[in-house]
Amino acid sequence: MASQPPWQSPPEPSESAKSRLPNLRIYNSLTRTKTPFLPLDKNGRKVGWYACGPTVYDDSHLGHARNYVSTDIIRRILQDYFKFDLQFVMNITDVDDKIILAARQQYLLRQWLEKFRKNNSETTNGDSNDGVDAEVKETTEKAFGAYIKKNLSLMKEDTSAEQFEEESDKAYGHVLQGKSAANDGSPPGDKEAKIKMHLNIARSAASALRSLPSSSSPSVTNGVAALSIDDSAALDDFTAKATGVLLPYIDSLHASTVQGTDHQIFTTLTKRYEDRFFNDMKALNVRYPDKVTRVTDYGPQIVDFVKKIEDNGYAYEHEGSVYYDINAWESSGGAYARLEPWNRNDKELQADGEGSLTTKQTSFKRSAADFALWKASKPGEPSWSSPWGEGRPGWHIECSAMASDILGERFDIHSGGIDLAFPHHDNELAQSEAYWCQNPGEHGQHQWVNYFLHMGHLSISGSKMSKSLKNFTTIKQALADGAWTPRGLRVVFLLGNWRDGLEITGDVVKAGLAWEERVSNFFIRVRDLQNRLGPSSSAANGHANGTSELDKQLSEAQTKFRDALSDSFDTSTAMRVISDLITNYNSTDGKQVPLSTTLAIGKWITEMVHMFGLDPQPAKLQPGQSVAIGWSGIDIPEKAKPFIQPLAQLRDRVREQAIRGGAINLSELGRMEDAETTFSSNQPYANANADFQRTIVGLHKRGAQPKEYLAACDHLRDTILWNLDIYLEDRENLPSLIRPLSQSLRQERKDREAILLQKASAKEKAKADAEAAEREKLEKGKLDPKEMFKNSEEYSAWDADGLPTKDRDGQEVAKSKGKKLRKEWERQKKLHEAFIAARGSGA
């Protein structure tokens, strides 16, 4: 494997800065080791960071969340924990081959649909639109065939919509069953995910085509089935199913008609998805960048950037495009592929980096790995003026120009997803260093980026989540359907290593939920102590003043936590430190722990989880509390408190009297509403309060037994409040604890109900089996024992009871055989008697 070129450590900071700097080491993709973090700022405080942002042509998915939430976590650690003065810059890629294709295809499809809507609207009553319908069908059939030919090569090119299911199963059934495309026992991956994507797109189009009238139906014009579309909704419904095949086909027909100078055709798409991206990031509590750059705002600067590289002798022009000259750069001492030199000859990665719209002719290149800095725009592509003619930026040059404009010729941190390392980031480094070098031969002396951070992928069934593979769940969808919460997703990422791949499994989800619930339970417990004891009662109930073993454990935890984050942001260990400290606290059962210690632990954990971004709002002081503890989601709604808190107190008093036994004394319960009184509110919390009061008054009027009061209390807890997402935790010698329903409480109930259902089902089955056995037994009893052996050819004579006396040859039945036969006869006699008795009783 090729080795990476030498890395230059940043200059040593001043002595005063050294004393303030944390002992932080960061895993640096430029060295593939953990290297000491030294900012370029001589005072050791300011840090410049450029992060590759999204390519905005579709909604963001959970794979993006993995990248940007992990980046946000590290940003918060540097800024809020280590107290660096961070300048965080993120770009928006709004010019790119994928964007051009997506924007142009969607624009042309809209134009195509508008043409048919217009034709439909122009048909008068009695006129036929069969010609319009026929053209839609014919175009879709051609698009369907073209899509199969290009993307599903194992299928017959002339596969019709009616044949699709059968033919796709023949060609790709093994892939659909979870096997590799080669069907050689190797595990499936991205290739198989792409095949499934193409199959789904073609299947949807086939379904749309099959929904049309057949050529033998009455709705036919010149042998072509008509859609019978009488409004735009019907057309929209059809094309929605066939969009996947229509987009590339219509683009292949009309791409050249799009004007490259009309940038709005392309920015209409990118602005929409940029807004959606930042809405998703806000929902995930990802901080907005200090500076956002967009490619469309940097056209002239990018031209100047490319021109300088060319002037420095490290680029050449070919037919209006400009290419980076790798040989020229390396021959003068420069390094190429600093990050992944072992991939520099990977043609698939190189082609992906150049984009799907790039010319396939490469014989003009001075080196096969040379890449485009500036692309001559073809018809249908956006364009800007340049010394080489109308063109557009190459993908890699965009980040170089924008990062250099904001952060200069050398900066601290560059980051992005691991899939960007080669060729994107390697090309960025090469072209940026070629831009900033002032004299030939000094290339080895310039290092554009000091630390490169790459976030690991999120995988589904071994395949990375990807827009191009369409195997993704959007962030908006995942949050809306309750599959994830912003906190739950961030917890899962924190429990892993930011640079490792992460596959979402049931165990990963359980681990995240367990950690989150452990912390929530701790916060609820500490808040309860605050509420019950208060700052003036710190010595009450065993909470003596002074220090305890837990004070020492808190100090040790803080040290371990800092050590973990200093070790390349090892959040997995840091999260375990928090969890272990809570475990140690819980093991004391709250006995002989100074309240000051409890609050100190609660305060520190609160600060750390907020530092990680696990709550969008800072912890707030609760009434009567001196320290802000906790995060959102550990308290019942504010509007519920005026009703639920007094309700819980009333229930506690009822339970206390009922458990003592004897008659319930209403006067000891406090003021009670009359049974007929109703609250003038439909508010469910008020109703719960009023209903329980009426229940208690009603029970008292009819002299109910204590167990009925206890049953009413249980019903309030287990049904009424449960359905309001509130749980009352009954505690010995303490008031009941009011808390929101947690995931584990719901799961525990679900598990109990499942066990009860399983037991009931087993009981029913046992009963049914017993009844079936009894019926079978009775059925056997129909046969009279006197007749049971007479139909056998083995015997020729029988006694009065029907027992055989001679075998078929007239010989006496042996005594041993006779004994055996009598036992069988006696068993059948009992069965027969039972049968007679059952029939007599009508059973």
Side-chain angles (χ1 to χ4, degrees):
M1 181 182 289
S3 59
Q4 293 176 296
W7 173 76
Q8 301 169 26
S9 177
E12 287 287 324
S14 65
E15 288 301 319
S16 60
K18 276 185 180 179
S19 63
R20 293 195 303 269
L21 280 175
N23 187 28
L24 173 62
R25 298 172 68 83
I26 297 178
Y27 184 89
N28 189 354
S29 295
L30 287 164
T31 63
R32 301 182 77 78
T33 61
K34 295 175 184 178
T35 54
F37 181 66
L38 301 174
L40 286 169
D41 174 36
K42 64 180 181 180
N43 295 317
R45 301 315 306 159
K46 293 182 178 180
V47 174
W49 182 348
Y50 180 88
C52 275
T55 301
V56 282
Y57 67 95
D58 205 344
D59 282 316
S60 301
H61 53 66
L62 290 179
H64 294 115
R66 163 64 166 159
N67 180 11
Y68 297 113
V69 171
S70 296
T71 299
D72 183 70
I73 290 167
I74 296 174
R75 179 185 176 188
R76 288 170 180 269
I77 293 171
L78 286 173
Q79 199 163 23
D80 297 348
Y81 188 79
F82 289 121
K83 306 301 182 183
F84 285 107
D85 181 6
L86 208 62
Q87 184 181 18
F88 186 82
V89 183
M90 176 186 283
N91 80 296
I92 297 293
T93 297
D94 56 357
V95 177
D96 157 273
D97 285 26
K98 293 175 181 176
I99 288 172
I100 293 168
L101 269 176
R104 191 177 68 204
Q105 287 177 354
Q106 291 179 31
Y107 168 77
L108 290 171
L109 181 61
R110 287 196 302 270
Q111 297 293 103
W112 185 74
L113 289 171
E114 283 302 317
K115 180 182 73 170
F116 293 113
R117 288 195 185 95
K118 181 179 179 182
N119 289 341
N120 277 339
S121 66
E122 289 176 354
T123 58
T124 58
N125 290 335
D127 290 340
S128 171
N129 65 353
D130 287 350
V132 174
D133 297 342
E135 184 178 347
V136 172
K137 180 176 187 293
E138 184 178 359
T139 301
T140 306
E141 286 177 334
K142 289 179 179 178
F144 178 72
Y147 193 89
I148 288 178
K149 181 178 180 180
K150 180 180 179 181
N151 301 299
L152 298 168
S153 58
L154 296 184
M155 292 179 63
K156 294 189 301 185
E157 290 183 14
D158 60 350
T159 297
S160 67
E162 289 72 24
Q163 298 169 328
F164 176 78
E165 295 300 334
E166 181 180 353
E167 292 299 323
S168 63
D169 189 59
K170 285 181 184 177
Y172 296 105
H174 59 292
V175 175
L176 294 172
Q177 292 169 10
K179 299 177 182 177
S180 68
N183 205 11
D184 57 1
S186 58
D190 288 355
K191 182 178 181 180
E192 288 71 24
K194 188 170 288 187
I195 290 171
K196 290 179 180 179
M197 174 196 74
H198 290 314
L199 286 169
N200 287 335
I201 290 172
R203 181 176 291 109
S204 181
S207 173
L209 286 167
R210 287 198 303 270
S211 68
L212 303 178
S214 66
S215 58
S216 61
S217 72
S219 183
V220 173
T221 301
N222 296 326
V224 180
L227 291 176
S228 302
I229 300 173
D230 55 7
D231 57 47
S232 62
L235 180 62
D236 288 342
D237 183 62
F238 175 82
T239 52
K241 294 179 181 177
T243 292
V245 301
L246 285 170
L247 284 170
Y249 182 73
I250 293 173
D251 182 72
S252 70
L253 299 177
H254 305 294
S256 60
T257 65
V258 174
Q259 296 298 311
T261 54
D262 187 359
H263 294 171
Q264 188 175 356
I265 290 173
F266 305 96
T267 57
T268 297
L269 175 81
T270 58
K271 286 178 179 176
R272 179 169 75 250
Y273 284 113
E274 180 186 334
D275 288 345
R276 292 190 187 182
F277 168 78
F278 281 119
N279 286 338
D280 288 338
M281 294 302 103
K282 185 176 180 181
L284 293 175
N285 199 28
V286 171
R287 286 176 176 166
Y288 196 80
D290 299 316
K291 176 71 176 177
V292 175
T293 63
R294 298 173 186 82
V295 180
T296 50
D297 296 333
Y298 268 80
Q301 294 96 318
I302 292 172
V303 169
D304 293 342
F305 204 93
V306 174
K307 188 69 174 67
K308 184 177 178 184
I309 296 173
E310 184 184 40
D311 292 343
N312 286 350
Y314 305 111
Y316 57 92
E317 184 267 346
H318 175 78
E319 296 181 353
S321 295
V322 182
Y323 293 85
Y324 186 82
D325 192 337
I326 292 176
N327 286 338
W329 175 247
E330 290 188 315
S331 64
S332 63
Y336 176 67
R338 286 183 178 276
L339 292 165
E340 296 186 351
W342 46 88
N343 279 331
R344 62 178 293 160
N345 296 317
D346 189 315
K347 289 182 169 38
E348 187 175 346
L349 289 175
Q350 290 170 355
D352 186 58
E354 288 297 85
S356 58
L357 298 178
T358 300
T359 177
K360 300 299 184 284
Q361 176 62 35
T362 60
S363 59
F364 64 86
K365 288 187 177 183
R366 298 176 184 176
S367 167
D370 290 353
F371 54 90
L373 302 174
W374 184 261
K375 299 180 179 182
S377 291
K378 297 190 286 291
E381 298 178 0
S383 61
W384 286 261
S385 296
S386 79
W388 315 282
E390 291 294 305
R392 59 186 178 89
W395 176 30
H396 317 296
I397 200 69
E398 300 167 352
C399 290
S400 291
M402 292 186 289
S404 294
D405 179 61
I406 304 297
L407 298 175
E409 63 180 294
R410 190 173 186 182
F411 58 94
D412 299 295
I413 300 173
H414 195 326
S415 68
I418 185 59
D419 56 322
L420 299 181
F422 184 89
H424 183 55
H425 288 155
D426 267 325
N427 290 354
E428 270 191 61
L429 289 167
Q431 65 202 10
S432 299
E433 291 171 7
Y435 173 88
W436 283 108
C437 72
Q438 300 300 320
N439 301 299
E442 71 167 19
H443 318 90
Q445 304 303 313
H446 191 89
Q447 185 169 280
W448 187 51
V449 173
N450 287 339
Y451 301 89
F452 237 118
L453 279 57
H454 287 104
M455 311 300 152
H457 276 144
L458 189 71
S459 299
I460 301 175
S461 302
S463 181
K464 77 168 186 177
M465 193 172 284
S466 163
K467 286 181 184 176
S468 60
L469 295 177
K470 298 189 185 298
N471 67 335
F472 61 84
T473 301
T474 66
I475 293 170
K476 185 176 182 180
Q477 177 188 347
L479 298 181
D481 65 17
W484 291 98
T485 64
R487 179 185 295 158
L489 198 60
R490 190 173 285 247
V491 165
V492 165
F493 296 157
L494 282 161
L495 288 174
N497 191 304
W498 55 271
R499 64 185 180 86
D500 290 341
L502 174 65
E503 182 161 10
I504 299 297
T505 64
D507 288 342
V508 167
V509 173
K510 285 180 182 177
L513 288 172
W515 190 93
E516 184 178 353
E517 187 141 326
R518 176 181 289 258
V519 175
S520 287
N521 288 338
F522 169 75
F523 284 148
I524 290 171
R525 185 176 180 183
V526 174
R527 276 198 185 179
D528 175 60
L529 284 171
Q530 278 186 300
N531 292 334
R532 288 191 293 108
L533 303 181
S536 61
S537 305
S538 59
N541 293 346
H543 287 74
N545 289 314
T547 61
S548 70
E549 178 65 22
L550 276 173
D551 290 293
K552 178 183 175 182
Q553 291 172 351
L554 170 59
S555 178
E556 291 173 350
Q558 291 169 330
T559 300
K560 290 177 183 177
F561 189 88
R562 188 176 185 85
D563 289 345
L565 296 190
S566 298
D567 185 17
S568 193
F569 317 114
D570 182 3
T571 58
S572 177
T573 297
M575 295 282 275
R576 191 162 58 250
V577 168
I578 291 174
S579 181
D580 289 347
L581 181 60
I582 292 173
T583 298
N584 292 338
Y585 179 83
N586 291 341
S587 67
T588 67
D589 196 28
K591 296 174 182 176
Q592 299 303 320
V593 178
L595 183 60
S596 59
T597 300
T598 295
L599 295 182
I601 294 173
K603 180 175 182 290
W604 180 72
I605 292 177
T606 297
E607 290 171 350
M608 294 307 98
V609 298
H610 280 80
M611 180 273 295
F612 278 148
L614 289 171
D615 206 37
Q617 301 296 330
K620 295 180 181 179
L621 276 175
Q622 302 298 307
Q625 296 179 354
S626 59
V627 179
I629 302 291
W631 57 19
S632 60
I634 61 171
D635 211 349
I636 65 173
E638 286 298 320
K639 63 182 179 181
K641 290 180 180 179
F643 305 102
I644 302 304
Q645 288 175 345
L647 173 59
Q649 293 167 3
L650 171 61
R651 177 180 174 275
D652 285 344
R653 293 193 295 270
V654 170
R655 288 187 77 247
E656 184 181 355
Q657 287 195 41
I659 290 171
R660 286 203 308 259
I664 299 296
N665 187 342
L666 285 185
S667 64
E668 292 183 11
L669 299 179
R671 182 175 178 272
M672 295 288 296
E673 301 290 339
D674 185 82
E676 302 302 320
T677 302
T678 58
F679 279 65
S680 58
S681 170
N682 290 324
Q683 212 252 44
Y685 308 113
N687 292 338
N689 189 313
D691 289 344
F692 186 70
Q693 290 192 43
R694 285 193 290 270
T695 298
I696 298 305
V697 171
L699 289 172
H700 185 267
K701 283 186 175 181
R702 65 180 179 82
Q705 295 298 308
K707 65 179 182 180
E708 295 181 74
Y709 287 91
L710 291 174
C713 291
D714 289 348
H715 179 71
L716 174 65
R717 179 195 62 202
D718 297 337
T719 302
I720 304 301
L721 295 182
W722 183 281
N723 292 337
L724 294 175
D725 290 331
I726 295 173
Y727 186 68
L728 293 183
E729 182 181 324
D730 290 322
R731 303 179 293 180
E732 190 175 355
N733 299 323
L734 286 174
S736 58
L737 181 63
I738 306 170
R739 55 177 298 167
L741 270 185
S742 65
Q743 183 72 20
S744 67
L745 285 170
R746 289 187 177 92
Q747 191 60 48
E748 284 173 14
R749 173 175 282 199
K750 187 183 292 186
D751 291 344
R752 285 197 303 272
E753 290 173 347
I755 291 171
L756 290 174
L757 186 63
Q758 188 177 14
K759 287 181 177 178
S761 178
K763 189 175 180 180
E764 278 297 314
K765 185 177 183 303
K767 181 181 177 182
D769 290 346
E771 290 174 349
E774 185 63 24
R775 286 193 298 272
E776 183 181 358
K777 183 178 177 182
L778 290 175
E779 188 66 24
K780 289 179 179 178
K782 282 184 179 180
L783 180 62
D784 189 328
K786 292 181 179 180
E787 304 297 327
M788 64 183 295
F789 297 117
K790 289 186 177 180
N791 292 327
S792 174
E793 295 180 356
E794 289 186 48
Y795 310 108
S796 58
W798 300 265
D799 65 13
D801 291 327
L803 282 164
T805 55
K806 294 182 179 181
D807 62 18
R808 70 175 68 183
D809 298 325
Q811 300 294 319
E812 293 286 336
V813 173
K815 286 186 178 181
S816 59
K817 177 75 170 178
K819 288 181 180 180
K820 184 178 178 182
L821 292 174
R822 175 163 287 281
K823 285 183 180 180
E824 291 181 32
W825 184 90
E826 287 174 348
R827 281 197 298 270
Q828 184 61 31
K829 181 172 181 283
K830 290 180 180 179
L831 290 174
H832 188 64
E833 288 172 347
F835 172 75
I836 296 297
R839 188 172 60 178
S841 65

